[in-house]
Amino acid sequence: GGKDAINTTIINFNNEKMQITWAARELFPNENVSFFYTFGEGKHKVWKPCTTYLLDQDYNSGCLFKTEGPTLAISIRNSNGSEELFSKDLKADFYIKPSPPENVTFFWEEDTVTVSCNKPERNAWCLRLELQYKSKFDKEWQSRTSKCCSVGEQGFDPRKCYSFRLRLRRLVPYCNVVKYSSDWAAETFWMNGTLLDSCDDDITPQSKTVIILSCSLAVLLMMLILLILLCKWQRVQLSVLPAIPDPKYPFADLFNDHNGNLQEWLDKNDHVVLQTKLEYEEPESITEAESQQEDGKNSDKQGPLEKIFTFSGAAENNDSKAAEIACLIPAPNTMAPFAGFHILMNDDMYVML
């Protein structure tokens, strides 16, 4: 009970503005109170009414006014100001909340950083400069405090990006009765003496080069692996599905050089009977073809038409007239061997040599 039993919050913003607040809804639930203040001393005080109220649900819960001296007296009264409900005398200088540091500078030397700010014009000895920092690998802030207005710390890793923030604190109980500190100055980001926009931008050109080289090596390695797999696949494909030989390659000179003229091709090759060995041909098939040719020559029933590919007369006399064009009518269903091939002949076919 009593006029001094009401809890109030008093803040002197950098000795420029005063803010007095109270719990209006709890202390005065049924009345909208008024506020008066004065910086004068003595019995004859000149009270000033509050011109800027702070509201809580449309009830006056505080007042904001200019700081005009070190000694302050406040009075809370009823709505019309006729009855005083609370009063108090206090030292305004004991409730100072300093402003954030101004003109902050960082000085880097190897792993040591020194942070400084402007020194206040009044009572700088009452202030302490607090520095907090952390890297992106730290969960909590590291704190260092020094006299106003410079603080230094060492042990910074040049490979890490650090966040820094700074504020001023008022000494208790020599200068303040309440532990007031300023708001934090703007947070800054540094890496090895270089100011960054954020710690997300701490990728240096060197690390970018390493990333590019790593990506290039990875691409080359993938290409090499694909090339090896391709060669392996070609070998597997050849073993499973062997290539089918093209019959035109053994007779390439016949078609390319002689335009398919068999007689001219045989003359140029000294009238040697063509013997072709096709790639991938099995020995059993060759032997079978030769045996069939021998059986055809030695058979008693062989007619004159089976000697359709005989050129002995031309070979013995070296006479070009002996190689005249022969047009013989084959017997029906006659098998004519030629260069490893067997051609089924009938009455409607003839062979020109």
Side-chain angles (χ1 to χ4, degrees), residues 311-325:
F311 305 99
S312 57
E316 293 175 358
N317 302 325
N318 293 325
D319 189 0
S320 60
K321 293 183 178 181
E324 293 293 336
I325 297 176

Side-chain angles (χ1 to χ4, degrees), residues 330-351:
N333 299 326
T334 300
M335 297 295 296
F338 173 66
F341 295 91
H342 293 79
I343 304 173
L344 179 62
M345 312 295 290
N346 54 36
D347 349 347
D348 299 330
M349 299 178 62
Y350 67 90
V351 176

Side-chain angles (χ1 to χ4, degrees), residues 110-220:
E110 296 182 352
D111 66 338
T112 303
V113 60
T114 302
V115 186
S116 304
C117 66
N118 283 357
K119 190 174 183 178
E121 297 179 357
R122 297 177 54 188
N123 300 328
W125 65 273
C126 286
L127 298 174
R128 291 294 181 266
L129 185 62
E130 182 181 4
L131 171 68
Q132 288 190 348
Y133 62 90
K134 68 175 181 179
S135 70
K136 61 180 182 180
F137 303 103
D138 300 327
K139 295 182 179 180
E140 298 181 354
W141 291 93
Q142 305 294 324
S143 184
R144 293 292 181 271
T145 304
S146 181
K147 294 181 179 180
C148 186
C149 288
S150 178
V151 59
E153 180 63 11
Q154 61 183 6
F156 291 96
D157 190 342
R159 297 170 298 178
K160 294 182 180 180
C161 177
Y162 292 89
S163 305
F164 291 91
R165 63 182 186 180
L166 207 65
R167 70 178 179 181
L168 291 171
R169 286 168 37 186
R170 185 88 168 172
L171 286 180
V172 176
Y174 308 104
C175 301
N176 259 35
V177 295
V178 182
K179 294 181 180 180
Y180 281 146
S181 300
S182 71
D183 296 332
W184 291 104
E187 187 175 350
T188 56
F189 306 92
W190 295 80
M191 180 177 180
N192 196 22
T194 302
L195 180 63
L196 304 175
D197 294 333
S198 68
C199 279
D200 296 333
D201 302 332
D202 61 348
I203 302 178
T204 60
Q206 183 178 2
S207 61
K208 290 182 179 179
T209 304
V210 172
I211 292 175
I212 293 175
L213 290 177
S214 301
C215 294
S216 301
L217 291 176
V219 171
L220 291 177

